[in-house]
Amino acid sequence: MADTAGPQTGTSDASEQWRLPRLQEAGLILVIVLICMLLTFAGGNITVRGNLVNSFFRLDNLLGNVFTPMSWMAIMAVGVTCVIISGGIDISVGSIFGLSAIACAAALQGMGETASPGKVLPIAVLVPLGVGLACGLINGALVVFLRMHPFIVTLATMSIFRGVALKWMKFLGAGSLPSNGDSLPNAFTDHLMMWTVKYTRANGMPVNLQPVPMIFMLIIVLVMAVYLGLLVAGRETYAVGGNEEAARFSGLKVRWIKLRVYAISGLCAGIAGMVSCGYYGSAATNTGEGYELMVIAAAVVGGASLNGGRGTAIGAMLGALVIQLIDNAIFILRTIKLGLFSLPLSKDDSKIVLGVAIVLAVAVDQINEYLRNRRLAGAKRRG
């Protein structure tokens, strides 16, 4: 944590560390509410199975196009947030995600659709999580023991892990798995990740809900919120990100803490790959491509400071929700009317909006850091 010059400054700093994440999360919730209101009123109505429904505020859109794809994004964002809090960065998560999903599909595709849960589930869990953890440990080892910059390390491993996935698929002679007409075991897909809750609305319209990816997301976010907020290991992560030298002089094992956060990031990417593989029932060579930007954007929009020392698991989840709502807004609105002109929207425009969101989030973080330093300087003078 930042050095303090006296009791008053230390109290101010601790109070700031408690208040700022709460304010950021409250601000994100307000942004989410405003986006949802905008899309509800601007999106208009569409006809689904003979019923007129709102194009945005309907369960099949919210669950199928927002919350479900957000689930593995948020799981990865929580892991990346842990790395960013420590003062590092991990841009290899998309490649780890893809490699883990491919490993999961490769391990399961020969078992048959009717294989028993006792045989399927241990492999479905251990293989992708093991791959993700191994990749995270490789990242951490390169950063810690070779003292390489995290950006350079994870930029290199992003390419390496993706290349390994491509070579693996080429060796198997397939562009996606399962191949040759096989299917993944139902115990992992239909009976777990794609488990469906069915009910009928009052107007007779059937609705299918697939909540398992969201349940996994909420569990991971809750676990990481407890880890970062209540456990000693989590507080050590904040300490290293806030002031690495002070943490080292305080007796903290900085190398071990850094290795641990990269392992957590890789593990979260492995979990996300497992969930995605089970939900879609397949994995391909392009699985996870481009996810790095979206995951880091979710972490930064969620309040993680690229300077280190700040960020929360709840904020990462909310940031992922904002990013996914932006993506869904492009699909829902299609055209923005500007008086005499109309601006057509496409999938490519979401990349522009995403980049702008990152710039704004970092700018807000820099302004907060400047104001915080001024308040601390004022507290020191008064002390």
Side-chain angles (χ1 to χ4, degrees):
M1 295 181 183
D3 293 331
T4 57
Q8 187 175 357
T9 304
T11 301
S12 174
D13 188 45
S15 177
E16 189 76 18
Q17 289 178 351
W18 186 86
R19 285 200 305 267
L20 187 58
R22 304 288 84 79
L23 291 173
Q24 289 172 331
E25 290 165 7
L28 281 171
I29 292 173
L30 178 60
V31 168
I32 290 167
V33 171
L34 291 175
I35 293 175
C36 290
M37 290 176 62
L38 171 65
L39 292 178
T40 299
F41 290 107
N45 296 323
I46 60 173
T47 302
V48 178
R49 300 187 184 95
N51 296 283
L52 192 65
V53 295
N54 188 270
S55 60
F56 169 75
F57 201 72
R58 53 191 173 88
L59 280 176
D60 51 344
N61 177 64
L62 291 174
L63 294 178
N65 299 324
V66 178
F67 293 120
T68 297
M70 163 206 165
S71 298
W72 40 85
M73 201 70 63
I75 291 171
M76 286 189 284
V78 169
V80 168
T81 294
C82 197
V83 174
I84 293 175
I85 290 170
S86 73
I89 192 73
D90 185 357
I91 61 173
S92 67
V93 286
S95 296
I96 299 175
F97 170 88
L99 183 58
S100 299
I102 288 173
C104 183
L108 295 177
Q109 72 166 345
M111 290 188 170
E113 292 186 39
T114 59
S116 66
K119 180 181 178 182
V120 169
L121 295 183
I123 295 176
V125 172
L126 293 177
V127 169
L129 268 61
V131 170
L133 179 60
C135 292
L137 288 172
I138 290 171
N139 284 337
L142 292 173
V143 170
V144 170
F145 299 114
L146 297 184
R147 300 181 182 274
M148 298 174 66
H149 194 283
F151 179 83
I152 300 300
V153 167
T154 55
L155 178 65
T157 56
M158 176 182 70
S159 180
I160 292 170
F161 297 149
R162 180 65 62 185
V164 170
L166 291 172
K167 292 291 286 184
W168 191 354
M169 296 294 279
K170 186 176 181 179
F171 174 77
L172 295 175
S176 65
L177 295 176
S179 58
N180 301 322
D182 290 338
S183 297
L184 297 186
N186 291 330
F188 179 55
T189 55
D190 294 350
H191 300 159
L192 181 58
M193 296 300 176
M194 289 191 284
W195 178 69
T196 304
V197 177
K198 299 181 180 181
Y199 76 95
T200 304
R201 291 179 179 174
N203 60 7
M205 182 176 175
V207 177
N208 297 331
L209 307 180
Q210 294 177 316
V212 174
M214 291 173 285
I215 293 172
F216 269 87
M217 175 192 70
L218 292 173
I219 291 172
I220 298 301
V221 170
L222 178 61
V223 169
M224 289 305 299
V226 171
Y227 173 84
L228 290 172
L230 299 178
L231 299 185
V232 172
R235 309 315 298 172
E236 290 175 344
T237 304
Y238 285 104
V240 170
N243 191 322
E244 184 175 328
E245 286 300 312
R248 183 175 287 108
F249 288 134
S250 298
L252 297 183
K253 298 179 180 178
V254 174
R255 286 189 171 190
W256 161 244
I257 294 168
K258 286 186 173 184
L259 182 64
R260 186 170 62 203
V261 297
Y262 284 99
I264 290 173
S265 180
L267 186 63
C268 286
I271 295 171
M274 174 192 70
V275 174
S276 173
C277 178
Y279 182 79
Y280 289 120
S282 65
T285 53
N286 63 349
T287 297
E289 276 190 357
Y291 277 21
E292 297 84 7
L293 179 62
M294 297 182 69
V295 170
I296 293 174
V300 173
V301 170
S305 172
L306 294 176
N307 295 318
R310 288 205 305 275
T312 65
I314 301 296
M317 181 183 69
L318 294 175
L321 179 54
V322 170
I323 298 302
Q324 197 60 45
L325 283 172
I326 291 173
D327 191 65
N328 190 236
I330 301 294
F331 172 76
I332 292 292
L333 296 178
R334 292 189 175 89
T335 302
I336 296 179
K337 295 181 179 179
L338 303 171
L340 299 176
F341 303 95
S342 294
L343 178 64
L345 299 176
S346 68
K347 187 71 174 178
D348 296 335
D349 295 317
S350 64
K351 298 183 184 299
I352 298 174
V353 178
L354 185 59
V356 171
I358 295 175
V359 171
L360 290 176
V362 173
V364 169
D365 178 63
Q366 292 298 319
I367 293 171
N368 285 335
E369 186 70 18
Y370 170 74
L371 296 175
R372 177 174 174 270
N373 289 335
R374 285 194 61 181
R375 285 193 291 269
L376 291 176
K380 288 181 180 179
R381 286 194 298 270
R382 290 192 300 269

